[in-house]
Amino acid sequence: QVQLVESGGGLVQAGGSLRLSCAASGRAFSTNPMGWFRQVAEKEREFVAAIRPTGYTYYVDSVKGRFTISRGNAKNTMYLQMNSLKPEDAAVYYCNSVIIIGDENTVLPFGSWGQGTMVTVSS
């Protein structure tokens, strides 16, 4: 059973930065694409960023140029560096294994979700 633990969230002013971490136990996810998603209350969870084992990355348009996804040196860690944060980035952020399909490179999560880490951005 894979367990995912997200951390690094917090309260930051608009324009500030945060670095989220994702740690997985139970399965080596270094061989799978991984991604970050976020959810605001009463809205669907949305894709934010993904990274292939090769290092190729994908981002939702709203975070391009501001967020950077990366894998850690430890086998089962992943990060999301978030710069120039905006109030609309406020959400609970989750990591998960993903599949990337189709010509549009649609990123879909699979597996169990962790508890997430909350990001609050004050204006």
Side-chain angles (χ1 to χ4, degrees):
Q1 182 76 15
V2 176
Q3 289 188 320
L4 299 168
V5 178
E6 301 91 346
S7 62
L11 172 63
V12 64
Q13 287 189 327
S17 298
L18 284 173
R19 189 192 195 205
L20 306 184
S21 299
C22 172
S25 61
R27 182 182 68 201
F29 65 53
S30 60
T31 58
N32 298 315
M34 291 293 297
W36 286 96
F37 298 79
R38 64 188 179 188
Q39 187 172 24
V40 177
E42 301 180 354
K43 291 189 176 181
E44 289 190 2
R45 201 165 300 185
E46 69 168 353
F47 164 70
V48 177
I51 185 167
R52 290 187 180 273
T54 58
Y56 196 87
T57 56
Y58 305 82
Y59 298 93
V60 67
D61 285 347
S62 61
V63 308
K64 285 180 180 177
R66 301 188 298 121
F67 290 11
T68 302
I69 187 172
S70 62
R71 292 181 180 270
N73 291 329
K75 190 183 301 184
N76 288 351
T77 57
M78 180 177 66
Y79 303 101
L80 185 68
Q81 178 66 44
M82 306 188 297
N83 298 329
S84 302
L85 281 160
K86 303 176 181 181
E88 52 264 41
D89 294 318
V92 179
Y93 283 73
Y94 301 86
C95 62
N96 211 332
S97 297
V98 300
I99 56 173
I100 303 168
I101 60 173
D103 294 337
E104 299 292 326
N105 293 314
T106 300
V107 179
L108 299 174
F110 72 91
S112 300
W113 294 99
Q115 294 298 308
T117 186
M118 180 171 287
V119 172
T120 304
V121 184
S122 63
S123 57

